Amino acid sequence: MKAEVYVVSHKKVKLPDEKIYIPVQVGTNPENFAGFERDNTGDNIAQKNANYCELTAQYWAWKNRRADVKGLVHYRRYFSNGKRHFFSSTTQKLNDVLTAERLEQILKSYDAVLPTKRNYYIESSWSHYKHAHHIEGLAAARDVISEKFPDYLPVFDKVLHRNKVHMFNMLITRAAIFDDYTKWLLAVLAEVENRVDISEYSEYEKRIYGFVSEVLLDVWFEKNQISFKEMPVMFIGRQHWFQKITKFLLRKFGLSDKA
């Protein structure tokens, strides 16, 4: 089984020793990082990285890579082998990333690996998105699905009314599933892009298509009945949890500007 898990990064970083991890450089840095693939080679949408985030690497992997299994993780977020680490060093964490051996075992019983769901507890995925971002992007995605992929609309509404969701645009799955999902996802987002004016958005909010895609993963996986194993996510580097929680509460109560 040839597995490739693409590690999306805009800077040179330390990588796991596991050979399944393929670093992919994204962004506008003209320097080519040694040992990294680039998302601006072959068939690509690298010029959209500021708005599509890690999806430019996902598109590149869909169009340009051949493997039995494809996956997407981030230089600061990996699937672990099953443990949760909050206070260990970067080296310790990288030693506990999901291995090729463990991945092969999982894929004997499941179609995919997804991150453990995030539970918003006090609100739905829709209301969380509305408090965190401009809702126009998600509303446009619903309109696109209603018009272009109507069979997906009941699942979309069900998923967005739940308070648990797979986040981070992370997945590892069989290549056919990865490619089919990416094709559908990019088709939806291309239509959203035609309908939403983001010219007045902040630089952060201009990452709209990356944000919208996070909630669309569950829609596609559930509609297509893809079986998956949830695995913990390891966060590499310092996590500013107090700041993140504070920002969440400010958005929740309308005290933070999303412009």
Side-chain angles (χ1 to χ4, degrees), residues 100-118:
E101 181 180 7
R102 178 74 172 117
L103 175 61
E104 188 168 1
Q105 291 174 349
I106 292 171
L107 293 180
K108 289 178 180 178
S109 302
Y110 300 90
D111 294 321
V113 177
L114 296 181
T116 303
K117 290 188 185 76
R118 172 174 286 184

Side-chain angles (χ1 to χ4, degrees), residues 59-94:
Y59 179 97
W60 171 86
W62 164 36
K63 290 293 188 177
N64 299 288
R65 302 299 291 191
R66 298 294 177 264
D68 301 308
V69 172
K70 295 181 181 180
L72 198 73
V73 297
H74 307 255
Y75 76 98
R76 291 191 301 172
R77 295 189 291 268
Y78 289 87
F79 292 106
S80 86
N81 251 352
K83 299 179 181 178
R84 293 179 179 273
H85 291 285
F86 292 100
F87 301 106
S88 59
S89 69
T90 298
T91 301
Q92 288 173 316
K93 287 181 176 180
L94 288 176

Side-chain angles (χ1 to χ4, degrees), residues 56-239:
T56 60
Q58 185 171 333
Y59 179 97
W60 171 86
W62 164 36
K63 290 293 188 177
N64 299 288
R65 302 299 291 191
R66 298 294 177 264
D68 301 308
V69 172
K70 295 181 181 180
L72 198 73
V73 297
H74 307 255
Y75 76 98
R76 291 191 301 172
R77 295 189 291 268
Y78 289 87
F79 292 106
S80 86
N81 251 352
K83 299 179 181 178
R84 293 179 179 273
H85 291 285
F86 292 100
F87 301 106
S88 59
S89 69
T90 298
T91 301
Q92 288 173 316
K93 287 181 176 180
L94 288 176
N95 287 340
D96 195 41
V97 297
L98 182 64
T99 63
E101 181 180 7
R102 178 74 172 117
L103 175 61
E104 188 168 1
Q105 291 174 349
I106 292 171
L107 293 180
K108 289 178 180 178
S109 302
Y110 300 90
D111 294 321
V113 177
L114 296 181
T116 303
K117 290 188 185 76
R118 172 174 286 184
N119 192 333
Y120 294 128
Y121 294 102
I122 60 174
E123 60 181 355
S124 67
S125 292
W126 181 277
S127 62
H128 174 82
Y129 191 99
K130 185 176 182 179
H131 293 136
H133 309 293
H134 296 288
I135 196 60
E136 290 85 358
L138 195 56
R142 187 184 187 281
D143 290 342
V144 169
I145 289 172
S146 176
E147 297 167 19
K148 305 290 185 179
F149 306 96
D151 289 350
Y152 284 78
L153 187 60
V155 181
F156 178 94
D157 288 339
K158 182 168 66 172
V159 166
L160 269 295
H161 280 87
R162 291 200 296 244
N163 58 11
K164 292 183 179 181
V165 63
H166 294 108
M167 296 295 290
F168 309 128
N169 284 328
M170 292 173 61
L171 74 159
I172 306 175
T173 187
R174 306 181 198 286
I177 294 173
F178 183 99
D179 293 348
D180 286 349
Y181 165 61
T182 305
K183 180 180 179 180
W184 176 85
L185 175 65
L186 271 294
V188 173
L189 295 179
E191 282 292 327
V192 174
E193 191 174 355
N194 290 332
R195 301 181 186 206
V196 180
D197 180 7
I198 65 172
S199 60
E200 300 299 320
Y201 284 14
S202 68
E203 290 305 305
Y204 176 73
E205 285 302 321
K206 285 181 179 179
R207 296 158 64 182
I208 172 176
Y209 309 111
F211 297 143
V212 170
S213 67
E214 285 188 290
V215 296
L216 293 183
L217 183 146
D218 279 347
V219 175
W220 192 87
F221 266 61
E222 190 160 320
K223 174 64 173 65
N224 291 281
Q225 298 182 326
I226 307 299
S227 65
F228 58 84
K229 168 76 172 176
E230 291 186 346
M231 296 295 284
V233 173
M234 302 188 316
F235 294 88
I236 305 297
R238 187 177 180 183
Q239 298 298 304

